[in-house]
Amino acid sequence: QVQMVESGGGLVQAGGSLRLSCTVSGLTFGFYAMGWFRQAPGKEREGVSCINWSSASSDYADSVKGRFTIFRDDAKNTVYLQMNSLKPEDTATYYCAARRSGGSCQRDMVLYNYWGQGTQVTVSS
């Protein structure tokens, strides 16, 4: 049984930072590309960032480039999203997801097989 547990969300002032973590069990983590997605109230879920199985490639939404960094620690079966210079428009529920893939990562949510339960990020102005 695959389990994906996110943590690290919370309330932060604009300009602040948060680091989200997603620890995975029940699958061979090193075979999976990992993604972070977010969904704000009344909006569609969007792909924020992804990282491929080997950490050789990653991708970011234009809205977060230069502010967010994705990285993974395969020894801990964990993927992280470091979020700096947060803005009120970053407020959303953030989800991690796993995709069995040997190639470069993609931020298309339909490609992902497993999802976490989400963690709330709220950025106050």
Side-chain angles (χ1 to χ4, degrees), residues 10-109:
L11 173 64
V12 64
Q13 289 188 330
S17 297
L18 285 173
R19 178 179 290 183
L20 305 183
S21 301
C22 173
T23 300
V24 181
S25 61
L27 53 76
T28 305
F29 187 71
F31 290 170
Y32 284 76
M34 299 299 298
W36 284 99
F37 297 79
R38 68 185 180 186
Q39 188 166 19
K43 294 188 177 181
E44 292 186 352
R45 191 170 297 190
E46 64 169 336
V48 175
S49 182
C50 65
I51 187 168
N52 82 328
W53 66 277
S54 67
S55 298
S57 72
S58 58
D59 190 37
Y60 297 89
D62 288 344
S63 58
V64 306
K65 280 181 181 176
R67 300 189 297 122
F68 290 11
T69 303
I70 189 171
F71 58 101
R72 60 191 291 162
D73 184 340
D74 284 12
K76 296 182 179 179
N77 281 12
T78 300
V79 61
Y80 303 91
L81 187 68
Q82 178 67 42
M83 306 186 296
N84 298 330
S85 302
L86 283 161
K87 304 176 181 179
E89 52 263 44
D90 294 318
T91 295
T93 301
Y94 284 70
Y95 301 87
C96 67
R99 175 194 175 206
R100 177 72 184 257
S101 171
S104 59
C105 71
Q106 296 183 52
R107 289 183 289 110
D108 187 345
M109 61 178 289

Side-chain angles (χ1 to χ4, degrees), residues 3-15:
Q3 289 190 319
M4 301 177 63
V5 181
E6 298 111 330
S7 61
L11 173 64
V12 64
Q13 289 188 330

